[in-house]
Amino acid sequence: MKKILLLSDTHSHIDDTILKYVEQADEIWHAGDIGDLQVTDTLKKYKPLRAVYGNIDGAEARLEFPLHNRFMCEEVSVWITHIGGYPGKYNPNIKAEMQANPPQLFICGHSHILKVMFDKKHNLLHMNPGACGKSGFHQVRTMLRFVIEGDKIKDLEIIELGKRV
């Protein structure tokens, strides 16, 4: 069993409220737009980190993190990318791979809009945790946490970090 904290679009922001939830997780997953690598360096001090770079991330982040991160967690195949779209509106750059080899859990960021939905066509769960940074148009900073146990994704929670100030 793994307790996952999923965040995205930090845009160089990390704070004690985020770190409180980091301490409760087994792994941290970041869906891109990290900003300053001090964010991921801080997260790695607490827990194992899986991340991808986003469109605002520079050369350092692109050297450290991939554009696409595909892996197994327990018995669940996971695909994290920053600009992925959502069921029915996937990014054209990933459509072929999504058709040929869909994951069970598809995660992206970028939109700053929290969205969790099941894709019946590809038989997968799509997650976008919204944005937990302070840059962007979102009104409320959000993250997701959930548990992966065997081949099950369960106990999904939305974490609201308050208004973007």
Side-chain angles (χ1 to χ4, degrees):
M1 179 180 85
K2 295 258 191 218
K3 293 183 274 185
I4 308 301
L5 179 67
L6 174 60
L7 53 116
S8 187
D9 296 275
T10 47
H11 291 263
S12 302
H13 177 77
I14 189 90
D15 61 33
D16 289 340
T17 306
I18 294 170
L19 294 176
K20 175 182 87 172
Y21 290 100
V22 165
E23 289 178 337
Q24 298 169 15
D26 295 322
E27 289 187 9
I28 311 307
W29 297 355
H30 195 302
D33 276 3
I34 297 160
D36 190 323
L37 287 184
Q38 181 181 350
V39 169
T40 49
D41 291 345
T42 300
L43 294 171
K44 286 189 282 189
K45 289 178 185 173
Y46 288 84
K47 299 292 167 115
L49 173 71
R50 298 179 189 264
V52 295
Y53 69 80
N55 56 295
I56 69 146
D57 293 317
E60 276 187 73
R62 292 168 191 244
L63 286 171
E64 185 167 347
F65 301 107
L67 175 60
H68 301 284
N69 195 346
R70 292 200 73 158
F71 57 93
M72 294 295 293
C73 180
E74 300 266 321
E75 298 168 38
V76 174
S77 62
V78 180
W79 181 357
I80 304 175
T81 194
H82 184 61
I83 303 176
Y86 56 90
K89 298 266 187 195
Y90 289 116
N91 180 326
N93 296 327
I94 66 160
K95 278 186 175 179
E97 179 68 15
M98 185 64 77
Q99 286 290 117
N101 187 19
Q104 292 161 280
L105 177 57
F106 180 70
I107 294 169
C108 62
H110 185 62
S111 71
H112 293 218
I113 299 169
L114 186 144
K115 188 178 290 203
V116 177
M117 55 193 298
F118 189 75
D119 179 344
K120 291 179 187 172
K121 180 179 177 184
H122 296 98
N123 193 34
L124 63 84
L125 184 61
H126 167 273
M127 290 185 188
N128 184 324
C132 66
K134 293 187 173 184
S135 298
F137 66 88
H138 58 284
Q139 296 300 305
V140 178
R141 299 167 44 228
T142 58
M143 303 185 296
L144 292 172
R145 70 176 167 185
F146 55 95
V147 171
I148 295 182
E149 187 170 12
D151 64 353
K152 304 279 188 277
I153 303 164
K154 62 183 193 174
D155 301 334
L156 176 65
E157 294 177 78
I158 295 169
I159 299 168
E160 290 189 356
L161 298 168
K163 298 260 187 207
R164 182 179 60 85
V165 194

